[in-house]
Amino acid sequence: MKRLLLDTHAFIWWIAGDESLGVQARAQIADSGNQIYVSAATIWEMSIKRQLGKLSAPDDLESVVERCGFTPLPITLFHAQQAGSLPTHHRDPFDRMLIAQAQAEGLRLVTKDAAFPAYGVHLLPADV
């Protein structure tokens, strides 16, 4: 069993059925033997972008996560401390939180972000 944390774009691609999500990534997410996590940071980021008119997304993202059978990942104080302590290879606070959560929880991060490997986090390319 693989434990995968979806980067925000990977989650968006999944719920939209967007073919930007690669065949291998899609197969791993669809595999019922794997546990798929969606961070509260992803929902927060999507909600902000939706409110600013930069993203079209469902209003009730929590229900979407539930319908997909994904596991919600809350942000803990430890996650927040770890995200704040990361080197500044990446300045996006949402991405820094995802990196910290993946490291703290031993999750593989599904992303296409080229800055993530600098953190030594386990990755699954989202676009392959």
Side-chain angles (χ1 to χ4, degrees), residues 57-125:
D59 289 335
D60 189 4
L61 291 168
E62 184 176 8
S63 292
V64 173
V65 171
E66 186 177 304
R67 278 195 308 273
C68 289
F70 298 159
T71 303
L73 181 60
I75 297 171
T76 67
L77 296 177
F78 181 76
H79 295 151
Q81 183 175 321
Q82 291 301 108
S85 298
L86 289 171
T88 55
H89 304 305
H90 205 309
R91 296 197 179 274
D92 183 303
F94 298 108
D95 287 340
R96 291 171 61 83
M97 178 56 69
L98 294 175
I99 291 162
Q101 288 181 303
Q103 289 175 339
E105 305 301 326
L107 304 174
R108 181 168 290 209
L109 195 47
V110 181
T111 186
K112 71 168 186 145
D113 196 311
F116 284 23
Y119 290 98
V121 67
H122 296 291
L123 302 174
L124 174 65

Side-chain angles (χ1 to χ4, degrees), residues 2 14 25-36:
K2 293 181 182 159
W14 177 263
R26 186 170 304 147
Q28 292 298 316
I29 295 167
D31 185 337
S32 62
N34 293 334
Q35 189 164 14
I36 312 302

Side-chain angles (χ1 to χ4, degrees), residues 14 18-30 125-128:
W14 177 263
D18 190 321
E19 291 187 10
S20 298
L21 187 63
V23 174
Q24 291 177 19
R26 186 170 304 147
Q28 292 298 316
I29 295 167
D127 52 354
V128 175

